PDB file of all heavy atoms in Angstrom:
ATOM      1  N   LEU A 244     -31.780 -58.311  66.674  1.00 91.00           N
ATOM      2  CA  LEU A 244     -32.993 -58.559  67.459  1.00 91.00           C
ATOM      3  C   LEU A 244     -33.794 -59.725  66.888  1.00 91.00           C
ATOM      4  O   LEU A 244     -34.595 -59.563  65.971  1.00 91.00           O
ATOM      5  CB  LEU A 244     -33.865 -57.307  67.549  1.00 91.00           C
ATOM      6  CG  LEU A 244     -33.145 -56.096  68.170  1.00 91.00           C
ATOM      7  CD1 LEU A 244     -34.024 -54.864  68.081  1.00 91.00           C
ATOM      8  CD2 LEU A 244     -32.775 -56.385  69.622  1.00 91.00           C
ATOM      9  N   SER A 245     -33.543 -60.889  67.435  1.00 79.00           N
ATOM     10  CA  SER A 245     -34.165 -62.104  66.934  1.00 79.00           C
ATOM     11  C   SER A 245     -35.640 -62.188  67.311  1.00 79.00           C
ATOM     12  O   SER A 245     -36.064 -61.706  68.359  1.00 79.00           O
ATOM     13  CB  SER A 245     -33.439 -63.337  67.494  1.00 79.00           C
ATOM     14  OG  SER A 245     -32.093 -63.338  67.100  1.00 79.00           O
ATOM     15  N   SER A 246     -36.403 -62.793  66.437  1.00 71.00           N
ATOM     16  CA  SER A 246     -37.809 -63.080  66.709  1.00 71.00           C
ATOM     17  C   SER A 246     -38.046 -64.557  66.445  1.00 71.00           C
ATOM     18  O   SER A 246     -37.629 -65.080  65.416  1.00 71.00           O
ATOM     19  CB  SER A 246     -38.718 -62.245  65.801  1.00 71.00           C
ATOM     20  OG  SER A 246     -38.575 -60.876  66.071  1.00 71.00           O
ATOM     21  N   LYS A 247     -38.676 -65.220  67.389  1.00 70.00           N
ATOM     22  CA  LYS A 247     -39.016 -66.622  67.191  1.00 70.00           C
ATOM     23  C   LYS A 247     -40.448 -66.706  66.679  1.00 70.00           C
ATOM     24  O   LYS A 247     -41.355 -66.101  67.253  1.00 70.00           O
ATOM     25  CB  LYS A 247     -38.880 -67.405  68.500  1.00 70.00           C
ATOM     26  CG  LYS A 247     -37.441 -67.637  68.931  1.00 70.00           C
ATOM     27  CD  LYS A 247     -37.378 -68.545  70.137  1.00 70.00           C
ATOM     28  CE  LYS A 247     -35.930 -68.839  70.533  1.00 70.00           C
ATOM     29  NZ  LYS A 247     -35.848 -69.725  71.710  1.00 70.00           N
ATOM     30  N   TYR A 248     -40.631 -67.442  65.605  1.00 71.00           N
ATOM     31  CA  TYR A 248     -41.962 -67.603  65.025  1.00 71.00           C
ATOM     32  C   TYR A 248     -42.467 -68.995  65.370  1.00 71.00           C
ATOM     33  O   TYR A 248     -41.901 -69.998  64.940  1.00 71.00           O
ATOM     34  CB  TYR A 248     -41.926 -67.362  63.515  1.00 71.00           C
ATOM     35  CG  TYR A 248     -41.637 -65.919  63.204  1.00 71.00           C
ATOM     36  CD1 TYR A 248     -40.328 -65.480  63.060  1.00 71.00           C
ATOM     37  CD2 TYR A 248     -42.661 -64.989  63.115  1.00 71.00           C
ATOM     38  CE1 TYR A 248     -40.049 -64.143  62.813  1.00 71.00           C
ATOM     39  CE2 TYR A 248     -42.399 -63.654  62.873  1.00 71.00           C
ATOM     40  CZ  TYR A 248     -41.098 -63.248  62.720  1.00 71.00           C
ATOM     41  OH  TYR A 248     -40.814 -61.921  62.489  1.00 71.00           O
ATOM     42  N   THR A 249     -43.517 -69.040  66.183  1.00 74.00           N
ATOM     43  CA  THR A 249     -44.051 -70.299  66.664  1.00 74.00           C
ATOM     44  C   THR A 249     -45.541 -70.385  66.334  1.00 74.00           C
ATOM     45  O   THR A 249     -46.152 -69.410  65.892  1.00 74.00           O
ATOM     46  CB  THR A 249     -43.855 -70.417  68.183  1.00 74.00           C
ATOM     47  OG1 THR A 249     -44.525 -69.321  68.825  1.00 74.00           O
ATOM     48  CG2 THR A 249     -42.377 -70.386  68.549  1.00 74.00           C
ATOM     49  N   VAL A 250     -46.108 -71.566  66.599  1.00 74.00           N
ATOM     50  CA  VAL A 250     -47.530 -71.770  66.329  1.00 74.00           C
ATOM     51  C   VAL A 250     -48.112 -72.621  67.453  1.00 74.00           C
ATOM     52  O   VAL A 250     -47.416 -73.475  68.031  1.00 74.00           O
ATOM     53  CB  VAL A 250     -47.736 -72.445  64.954  1.00 74.00           C
ATOM     54  CG1 VAL A 250     -47.207 -73.863  64.950  1.00 74.00           C
ATOM     55  CG2 VAL A 250     -49.197 -72.413  64.541  1.00 74.00           C
ATOM     56  N   SER A 251     -49.343 -72.374  67.807  1.00 75.00           N
ATOM     57  CA  SER A 251     -49.986 -73.152  68.854  1.00 75.00           C
ATOM     58  C   SER A 251     -50.439 -74.504  68.302  1.00 75.00           C
ATOM     59  O   SER A 251     -50.622 -74.667  67.091  1.00 75.00           O
ATOM     60  CB  SER A 251     -51.192 -72.398  69.420  1.00 75.00           C
ATOM     61  OG  SER A 251     -52.197 -72.250  68.436  1.00 75.00           O
ATOM     62  N   LYS A 252     -50.651 -75.436  69.199  1.00 74.00           N
ATOM     63  CA  LYS A 252     -51.034 -76.787  68.782  1.00 74.00           C
ATOM     64  C   LYS A 252     -52.400 -76.802  68.092  1.00 74.00           C
ATOM     65  O   LYS A 252     -52.670 -77.644  67.245  1.00 74.00           O
ATOM     66  CB  LYS A 252     -51.040 -77.712  70.001  1.00 74.00           C
ATOM     67  CG  LYS A 252     -51.147 -79.181  69.635  1.00 74.00           C
ATOM     68  CD  LYS A 252     -50.945 -80.061  70.847  1.00 74.00           C
ATOM     69  CE  LYS A 252     -50.993 -81.534  70.453  1.00 74.00           C
ATOM     70  NZ  LYS A 252     -50.786 -82.412  71.637  1.00 74.00           N
ATOM     71  N   GLY A 253     -53.242 -75.850  68.469  1.00 76.00           N
ATOM     72  CA  GLY A 253     -54.578 -75.819  67.898  1.00 76.00           C
ATOM     73  C   GLY A 253     -54.700 -74.999  66.629  1.00 76.00           C
ATOM     74  O   GLY A 253     -55.810 -74.757  66.149  1.00 76.00           O
ATOM     75  N   ALA A 254     -53.577 -74.568  66.069  1.00 77.00           N
ATOM     76  CA  ALA A 254     -53.610 -73.719  64.876  1.00 77.00           C
ATOM     77  C   ALA A 254     -54.015 -74.507  63.637  1.00 77.00           C
ATOM     78  O   ALA A 254     -53.934 -75.738  63.606  1.00 77.00           O
ATOM     79  CB  ALA A 254     -52.236 -73.091  64.656  1.00 77.00           C
ATOM     80  N   ASN A 255     -54.457 -73.789  62.635  1.00 74.00           N
ATOM     81  CA  ASN A 255     -54.811 -74.400  61.360  1.00 74.00           C
ATOM     82  C   ASN A 255     -53.560 -74.993  60.713  1.00 74.00           C
ATOM     83  O   ASN A 255     -52.584 -74.294  60.458  1.00 74.00           O
ATOM     84  CB  ASN A 255     -55.435 -73.340  60.447  1.00 74.00           C
ATOM     85  CG  ASN A 255     -55.695 -73.883  59.049  1.00 74.00           C
ATOM     86  OD1 ASN A 255     -55.873 -75.079  58.865  1.00 74.00           O
ATOM     87  ND2 ASN A 255     -55.722 -72.989  58.075  1.00 74.00           N
ATOM     88  N   LEU A 256     -53.572 -76.288  60.453  1.00 79.00           N
ATOM     89  CA  LEU A 256     -52.403 -76.967  59.880  1.00 79.00           C
ATOM     90  C   LEU A 256     -52.431 -76.988  58.353  1.00 79.00           C
ATOM     91  O   LEU A 256     -51.422 -77.267  57.719  1.00 79.00           O
ATOM     92  CB  LEU A 256     -52.335 -78.409  60.402  1.00 79.00           C
ATOM     93  CG  LEU A 256     -52.295 -78.582  61.931  1.00 79.00           C
ATOM     94  CD1 LEU A 256     -52.189 -80.056  62.276  1.00 79.00           C
ATOM     95  CD2 LEU A 256     -51.143 -77.791  62.543  1.00 79.00           C
ATOM     96  N   ASN A 257     -53.573 -76.679  57.782  1.00 81.00           N
ATOM     97  CA  ASN A 257     -53.727 -76.760  56.336  1.00 81.00           C
ATOM     98  C   ASN A 257     -53.595 -75.364  55.713  1.00 81.00           C
ATOM     99  O   ASN A 257     -54.546 -74.797  55.188  1.00 81.00           O
ATOM    100  CB  ASN A 257     -55.085 -77.374  55.994  1.00 81.00           C
ATOM    101  CG  ASN A 257     -55.212 -77.695  54.518  1.00 81.00           C
ATOM    102  OD1 ASN A 257     -54.209 -77.933  53.839  1.00 81.00           O
ATOM    103  ND2 ASN A 257     -56.432 -77.688  54.011  1.00 81.00           N
ATOM    104  N   ARG A 258     -52.399 -74.827  55.782  1.00 75.00           N
ATOM    105  CA  ARG A 258     -52.173 -73.453  55.334  1.00 75.00           C
ATOM    106  C   ARG A 258     -51.793 -73.376  53.869  1.00 75.00           C
ATOM    107  O   ARG A 258     -50.956 -74.131  53.395  1.00 75.00           O
ATOM    108  CB  ARG A 258     -51.065 -72.794  56.164  1.00 75.00           C
ATOM    109  CG  ARG A 258     -51.423 -72.596  57.624  1.00 75.00           C
ATOM    110  CD  ARG A 258     -50.392 -71.752  58.320  1.00 75.00           C
ATOM    111  NE  ARG A 258     -50.784 -71.485  59.703  1.00 75.00           N
ATOM    112  CZ  ARG A 258     -50.164 -70.604  60.490  1.00 75.00           C
ATOM    113  NH1 ARG A 258     -49.133 -69.928  60.016  1.00 75.00           N
ATOM    114  NH2 ARG A 258     -50.582 -70.419  61.719  1.00 75.00           N
ATOM    115  N   GLY A 259     -52.407 -72.434  53.194  1.00 70.00           N
ATOM    116  CA  GLY A 259     -52.050 -72.173  51.818  1.00 70.00           C
ATOM    117  C   GLY A 259     -51.142 -70.950  51.738  1.00 70.00           C
ATOM    118  O   GLY A 259     -50.692 -70.417  52.747  1.00 70.00           O
TER     119      GLY A 259
END
Side-chain angles (χ1 to χ4, degrees):
L244 302 174
S245 300
S246 296
K247 287 186 177 180
Y248 292 89
T249 59
V250 67
S251 65
K252 192 172 183 180
N255 174 26
L256 303 182
N257 189 27
R258 294 189 176 190

